[in-house]
Amino acid sequence: MEQIRTYLALGDSFTEGLNDPYPGEDEVFRGWADRLAEHIAVRNPGLRYANLAVRGKLVRQIVDDQVPRAVDLAPDLVTLCAGGNDMIRPGADPDALAVVFDDAVRRLRGTGARVVLFTGFDTRGLRSGSRIRGKAATYNMHLRAIADHRGCDVVDLWPLRAFNDPRAWHEDRLHLSPEGHRRMALLVAGVIGVPVEGDWREPWPPLDRADWLTMRREDVHWARTYLVPWIGRRATGRSSGDGRAPKRPTPDLLSIDRECPRH
């Protein structure tokens, strides 16, 4: 494995780490990118890590706000995941988004950084996700082509059935659970060749399936708690990331003792 001195994570809530809070800190999220940085730091003492991701951001916002900062920092490794928030909006054009995304990747690769891209999950396996499946598949094809053209690594999430288990997801049905983030960090580490303990493909324990009434109650809770507020933000042009700064805006030394609680 080549030496990694600086790692930057770019993106939206997926990369920011919702909903994987640090123990005792409900509003401070860890997430797969922080976990990945911890794995990298074991083999690369002195690693500097920044996470510029902000929840709710669209492709254009990520490209305009985060990519220039990343280019200036000239990191060794960049992970970039963007487009999920665009896909869930009516009228999203995956072809146009791919043009914007490709230019961002070109600029990042121009620094000499190793760039890791992510396809989206196959939403067929997720409750309420089938309506965007066609757009997501088209966008994924563009992402794979961009990765091939620009010489990037790809974390291909589309075929991964391990993440179809509901325990991989938070109750909001949009973000990974802590266990989902743990497995994602292991997966990405494998793609970039970082040795780790554990296997993201580890079988899930047997799951007791909920009955019909319980599932309907969960649907009602989800709609009231997550769907209605989301619709409200869309109707008023607001985003969950409005006014938020990145949680780790500067590449700082990663303290494994502090960042990696035992569990």
Side-chain angles (χ1 to χ4, degrees):
M1 183 187 75
E2 72 272 19
Q3 184 180 15
I4 302 174
R5 295 159 297 183
T6 305
Y7 163 39
L8 302 184
L10 313 182
D12 52 29
S13 58
F14 173 71
T15 300
E16 184 184 345
L18 277 67
N19 286 288
D20 181 20
Y22 280 97
E25 300 183 68
D26 291 344
E27 295 301 319
V28 181
F29 295 108
R30 188 182 185 189
W32 67 264
D34 286 23
R35 292 171 180 267
L36 175 64
E38 293 158 10
H39 290 308
I40 295 172
V42 171
R43 303 279 176 166
N44 294 262
L47 174 75
R48 294 187 178 273
Y49 165 58
N51 189 319
L52 306 182
V54 176
R55 67 194 70 175
K57 295 304 181 182
L58 305 173
V59 168
R60 174 55 74 180
Q61 294 170 318
I62 292 168
V63 170
D64 289 347
D65 298 339
Q66 299 175 30
V67 170
R69 173 67 173 154
V71 170
D72 288 343
L73 292 169
D76 301 295
L77 174 68
V78 175
T79 55
L80 172 61
C81 184
N85 290 314
D86 297 84
M87 290 298 105
I88 62 177
R89 283 166 168 75
D93 183 346
D95 301 318
L97 289 172
V99 174
V100 177
F101 192 94
D102 179 55
D103 185 62
V105 174
R106 176 188 62 79
R107 292 155 60 192
L108 291 169
R109 288 288 289 144
T111 68
R114 182 178 185 179
V115 178
V116 181
L117 307 180
F118 295 73
T119 68
F121 291 99
D122 184 352
T123 58
R124 179 178 60 178
L126 305 176
R127 292 164 71 177
S128 71
S130 59
R131 64 182 180 83
I132 66 170
R133 190 169 186 249
K135 289 190 298 184
T138 300
Y139 188 56
N140 280 353
M141 288 190 292
H142 283 301
L143 295 179
R144 293 188 189 97
I146 291 168
D148 287 344
H149 179 59
R150 302 294 180 189
C152 302
D153 297 294
V154 179
V155 180
D156 191 0
L157 302 178
W158 187 268
L160 303 186
R161 299 296 173 248
F163 289 90
N164 283 351
D165 191 288
R167 288 167 291 185
W169 297 88
H170 185 259
E171 68 174 19
D172 67 3
R173 305 180 185 178
L174 187 61
H175 301 104
L176 293 173
S177 66
E179 176 62 13
H181 280 288
R182 186 189 73 84
R183 290 178 184 243
M184 183 61 60
L186 295 175
L187 168 61
V188 182
V191 169
I192 64 175
V194 174
V196 292
E197 294 183 7
D199 189 342
W200 64 270
R201 294 160 293 197
E202 179 184 351
W204 291 86
L207 176 65
D208 293 331
R209 295 293 178 181
D211 58 32
W212 183 89
L213 181 59
T214 298
M215 293 179 65
R216 297 296 75 76
R217 286 172 176 166
E218 290 175 351
D219 288 341
V220 171
H221 170 75
W222 170 78
R224 289 175 176 172
T225 306
Y226 301 106
L227 179 60
V228 172
W230 183 86
I231 293 173
R233 289 195 298 271
R234 298 289 78 73
T236 56
R238 294 177 292 120
S239 167
S240 58
D242 288 347
R244 286 188 175 272
K247 66 178 185 179
R248 293 178 177 270
T250 304
D252 292 324
L253 286 171
L254 196 69
S255 172
I256 299 299
D257 289 340
R258 183 179 68 83
E259 303 294 349
C260 192
R262 304 301 178 191
H263 59 276

